[in-house]
Each structure stands twice: as structure tokens, then as C-alpha cells.
């Protein structure tokens, strides 16, 4: 059996998951700041305006899970909170339509707005965005007579998020642009209509957090998993190498020019443990996960880039720690 580098591991056996023999769990380790700063690293693997994959290395599970929960439920965003319906003759009920509108993500940067006070009856330019949705479906007088397509027969038969119009409050027009506060995408379908159907409503968006309602969550997904590790214990070639390769996710196991198997990249393995189904190769591999290496995947809904969302989560955790310390110091 090859000697593995000393890292906290979880071994995936055929019927159980176990820790390394000399590993008693990270929960029993005494916190050491110097040791933490020496081991801790953040590695960004890929990132664009909406998605980011990064690694947190040398950190305890409690911190990794705290960041995940904070991104989901405590980093604020703007969302439609109130819908004043003046007219709705479509087939969608008022409450269902209001719920659909609330789930449309907005581009507005929540850092530029304040939380609306609970007792406030009306919003201000500092805590509220107002929109309107007014559209009516009619027959298309100029469409081809022999067509049965809705696009040819009717005008405004599909209501999209592009129909939502922003109405600035106070001095908002000099600070924000409509392209910066409206819906993230213009092609989000809200309703289907036919001649005689009409929508006329006033929309009010406020700042909130996902803990109150999922529509305020700034991320579509925020998840993490432990880094997989695949170690070959012996040489595997021929048909066994092909079989071994088929037991893993694509790209994990490669075959060299001699037909021998090697570990190409274990990062994206699903850890399915399919190798244990075959007696001829079950002894050729050791499957494990590194317990202090977390692979994070964050997908933003569009208001803030994923790296900014993570930084905001770190700030929230910092402020919570400061509040706790202040409370403890007040007792001394």
C-alpha cells in the first residue's frame, strides 16, 4: 500500500466510511491561530459574472458550512415584495401571479439600499424601488390570415419580464439607471394571454434576506463537497484498466500509451465506489476524501458577482463574531 501524504482523510470502503487510524476528528483539535494561518488557502478555480468554483483549504467544516448558510440566507438582495393589482383578467390567479413576480431576480445592488423599517407605511428613495407592469393582449390586424401561430395571430400574447418598467422615486434617476435596477433577464416568462386579457399592476421592491423568503437569496445554488482522492495500489493494465476507467467519472482515470491506468484528475469524481462491484479491481484503488479541503460552487442569480457574495458572507460572519464578543465583554 503506497504511503499517503499526511492529510485528514475519510476513507470510502465498500460498506462504510471511516477516518484514518490516527485521525480522531477535527472537532477535537484545539484551535491554533498560527497553525490556521499557515494552512489556510483560498484557490479560485474558475469564475465569471454568475458562477464561481473555488477551494477552501485547511479550514474546519463548521466554517465552510457557515459561509454556505450565510450566502444562502443572510446576504441581502432586492426583490419584489408587494404587488398592487389594479387589473388582472388573465387566467393566472392574483396570488400566483404576485408570487411569480416576487421570484424574478433584480439587478439592483443591495449594498446601495437600506432595509425598510418594519413600521414604515411608505418607502423612500433609499430603501424602495417601484415598478409597473401594464400590458394588454389584442388581435394582430396585420398578421397572415392562414397562420395558426400565436405569434402571428396576437400581439402581447406572452408577457415577459421586459414589460416591467421602473419608476424612480425622489432622486433615484440621477443615481441609478433602469438597466441597473430592472430584472436580470428580459426573457423571463410571466404569463400567457389571449385577446381580452390585461395586466395592470404596481410593484414595490425592497431589501431582504433569504432567511425571511427564498426570493431574497442572492444565489441560485451555493454548495460544497470534499476533495476526492484516488490512489492506485498496484499496476492496472489491459481490460482491467478499461474496466477501472469506466468505474469513475469521465476524466478521472486515464490510460497511457501502454494501456496502463493512471489517475489523471480525481477532483471531479463522484465517489460512486463502483470499483467495489468487481473483484478483479476492488483491491487496486484507495478511495478517500480530504476532510479540510472544500470545493465550493456558487451560482449568483445576477444582482452581484459570486465573489462579491462570498466576501459579503465573510463580512456578515465577522460582524456576528464582533457582536458576540461585545456581549461577552459586557458581562465582565
Amino acid at each position: 500500500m503506497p504511503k499517503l501524504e499526511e492529510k485528514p482523510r475519510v476513507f470510502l470502503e465498500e460498506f462504510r466510511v471511516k477516518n484514518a487510524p490516527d485521525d480522531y476528528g477535527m472537532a477535537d483539535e484545539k484551535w491554533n491561530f498560527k497553525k490556521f494561518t499557515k494552512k489556510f488557502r483560498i484557490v479560485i478555480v474558475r469564475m465569471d459574472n454568475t458562477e464561481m468554483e473555488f477551494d477552501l483549504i485547511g479550514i474546519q467544516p463548521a466554517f465552510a458550512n457557515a459561509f454556505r448558510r450565510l450566502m444562502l440566507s443572510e446576504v441581502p438582495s432586492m426583490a419584489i415584495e408587494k404587488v398592487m393589482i389594479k387589473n388582472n383578467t388573465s387566467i393566472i390567479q392574483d396570488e400566483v401571479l404576485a408570487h411569480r413576480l416576487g421570484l424574478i431576480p433584480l439587478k439592483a445592488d443591495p449594498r446601495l439600499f437600506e432595509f425598510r423599517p418594519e413600521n414604515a407605511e411608505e418607502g423612500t428613495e433609499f430603501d424602495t424601488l417601484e415598478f409597473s407592469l401594464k400590458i394588454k393582449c389584442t388581435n394582430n390586424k396585420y398578421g397572415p390570415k392562414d397562420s395558426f401561430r400565436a405569434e402571428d395571430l396576437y400581439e402581447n400574447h406572452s408577457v415577459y419580464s421586459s414589460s416591467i418598467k421602473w419608476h424612480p422615486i425622489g432622486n433615484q434617476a440621477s443615481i441609478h439607471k433602469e438597466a441597473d435596477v430592472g430584472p436580470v433577464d428580459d426573457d423571463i416568462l410571466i404569463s400567457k394571454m389571449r385577446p381580452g386579457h390585461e395586466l395592470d399592476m404596481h410593484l414595490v421592491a425592497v431589501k431582504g434576506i433569504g432567511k425571511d423568503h427564498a426570493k431574497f437569496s442572492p444565489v441560485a445554488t451555493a454548495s460544497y463537497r470534499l476533495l476526492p482522492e484516488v490512489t492506485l495500489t498496484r499496476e492496472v493494465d489491459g481490460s482491467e484498466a478499461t474496466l477501472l476507467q469506466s468505474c469513475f467519472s469521465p476524466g478521472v482515470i486515464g490510460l497511457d500509451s501502454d494501456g496502463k491506468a493512471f489517475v489523471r484528475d480525481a477532483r471531479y469524481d463522484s465517489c460512486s465506489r463502483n470499483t467495489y462491484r468487481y473483484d478483479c479491481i476492488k483491491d487496486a484503488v484507495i478511495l478517500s476524501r480530504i476532510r479540510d479541503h472544500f470545493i465550493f460552487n456558487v451560482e449568483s442569480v445576477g444582482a452581484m458577482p459570486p465573489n462579491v457574495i462570498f466576501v459579503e458572507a465573510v463580512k456578515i460572519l465577522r460582524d456576528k463574531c464582533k457582536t458576540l464578543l461585545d456581549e461577552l465583554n459586557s458581562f465582565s
Side-chain angles (χ1 to χ4, degrees), residues 229-241:
E229 187 179 59
V230 179
T231 307
L232 298 182
T233 60
R234 62 176 175 85
E235 207 173 78
V236 182
D237 54 14
S239 60
E240 288 187 355

Side-chain angles (χ1 to χ4, degrees), residues 46-189:
R46 57 182 177 87
M47 182 177 68
D48 55 31
N49 291 332
T50 57
E51 293 185 55
M52 178 172 68
E53 180 182 334
F54 65 98
D55 294 0
L56 287 183
I57 305 170
I59 197 171
Q60 292 187 327
F63 287 100
N65 194 46
F67 292 138
R68 180 191 67 85
R69 290 173 63 92
L70 288 168
M71 285 188 284
L72 284 169
S73 62
E74 296 206 39
V75 175
S77 70
M78 301 291 288
I80 294 171
E81 174 72 358
K82 294 183 179 180
V83 179
M84 277 71 84
I85 299 177
K86 301 174 184 177
N87 190 13
N88 174 23
T89 56
S90 71
I91 61 172
I92 301 181
Q93 301 94 326
D94 290 353
E95 60 272 20
V96 176
L97 185 59
H99 185 262
R100 289 176 67 88
L101 290 168
L103 292 175
I104 295 175
L106 302 178
K107 293 179 184 177
D109 190 338
R111 295 171 295 178
L112 303 178
F113 295 88
E114 301 173 357
F115 286 100
R116 183 193 279 196
E118 292 184 5
N119 57 353
E121 294 183 1
E122 293 187 4
T124 67
E125 60 184 294
F126 306 107
D127 57 29
T128 303
L129 288 170
E130 293 188 358
F131 302 89
S132 67
L133 175 60
K134 187 173 183 179
I135 191 168
K136 184 178 182 179
C137 180
T138 57
N139 287 306
N140 184 7
K141 299 178 181 179
Y142 306 102
K145 303 298 182 182
D146 57 344
S147 176
F148 293 95
R149 297 172 66 247
E151 292 81 359
D152 299 329
L153 295 176
Y154 316 118
E155 292 183 353
N156 301 325
H157 67 95
S158 293
V159 183
Y160 294 98
S161 52
S162 57
S163 300
I164 297 176
K165 304 302 179 184
W166 175 51
H167 298 280
I169 306 173
N171 199 35
Q172 284 183 342
S174 63
I175 303 173
H176 310 288
K177 298 179 180 178
E178 184 167 6
D180 298 330
V181 297
V184 170
D185 296 304
D186 292 334
D187 58 351
I188 300 174
L189 182 64

Side-chain angles (χ1 to χ4, degrees), residues 5 33 90 99 163 193 210 288 319 331:
E5 184 184 348
F33 182 73
S90 71
H99 185 262
S163 300
M193 299 201 300
S288 60
D319 294 341
F331 289 107

